[in-house]
Amino acid sequence: MLLLTGLRDDGTPAAKDERGRAIPAGGCQGEATAALSGDPEKIGSRELVGTINIGSYSASQKDPRVVEVFRAWSRCMKRQGHQYADPTQAPGKDREFTGPKATRAEIALAGTDVRCKRETNVVGVWSSVDAAYQRRAMSAKTRELAAIKRDIRRQVTNADRVLRTG
């Protein structure tokens, strides 16, 4: 972990390992991050992208259109003898379905889930509503998202360069 992160067990940065060899800032992970992004602390798509994704997911689940389509899905499942409040209560996560191999009951339940999703268009409605929330959030953050896009392009360019020379 010392070589990977550049941190001792107590969380303090280390300049050298136990043999006196230099450790790059942030360890090997920091060195790789710096090679890709130019900054040993910065890689990836920043928190904003995750915030938009999580925010839209949460908002979409409260949207009346999604609430109604979830209820329709739940009613469909109930008609088939399965009691689930909504599709996020993933039927396949039931304790009886956690074995290494799918049982006939699990396969039947999955089939019912898919039929109810098709019948109610739950995937179409939910994904459309979620996408609308994402578009709204993105339009409010165009400058920040443009910077993230530039960062990602730079990281991909640097990764190509590192892979060609490495």
Side-chain angles (χ1 to χ4, degrees), residues 136-147:
R136 188 176 309 140
M138 289 186 301
S139 70
K141 300 288 185 180
T142 54
R143 197 172 16 247
E144 296 93 331
L145 291 167

Side-chain angles (χ1 to χ4, degrees), residues 19-158:
R19 293 184 186 169
R21 295 176 293 192
I23 298 175
C28 296
Q29 193 172 44
E31 184 177 45
T33 299
L36 296 179
S37 71
D39 181 341
E41 300 292 319
K42 184 172 127 186
I43 191 90
S45 60
R46 299 192 196 162
E47 294 79 31
L48 177 59
V49 174
T51 299
I52 290 172
N53 186 42
I54 291 167
S56 70
Y57 177 82
S58 178
S60 71
Q61 287 189 320
K62 297 172 189 156
D63 186 283
R65 296 164 291 185
V66 174
V67 169
E68 180 50 41
V69 81
F70 278 9
R71 285 184 185 139
W73 175 89
S74 182
R75 288 189 300 271
C76 178
M77 292 295 284
K78 189 173 184 176
R79 284 193 303 272
Q80 303 302 317
H82 305 288
Q83 190 75 32
Y84 294 100
D86 65 60
T88 67
Q89 305 302 314
K93 291 184 180 178
D94 287 349
R95 181 173 241 155
E96 66 186 292
F97 301 138
T98 58
K101 190 173 180 183
T103 64
R104 268 188 265 152
E106 185 176 7
I107 293 167
L109 178 58
T112 300
D113 176 32
V114 169
R115 281 189 300 282
C116 287
K117 283 177 178 166
R118 285 182 177 153
E119 179 182 309
T120 61
N121 191 26
V122 75
V123 174
V125 171
W126 189 13
S127 65
S128 295
V129 170
D130 185 47
Y133 280 105
Q134 287 182 9
R135 281 191 297 278
R136 188 176 309 140
M138 289 186 301
S139 70
K141 300 288 185 180
T142 54
R143 197 172 16 247
E144 296 93 331
L145 291 167
I148 291 169
K149 188 175 184 177
R150 284 190 303 274
D151 288 347
I152 291 170
R153 283 191 175 144
R154 180 175 41 254
Q155 291 165 19
V156 169
T157 299
N158 290 340

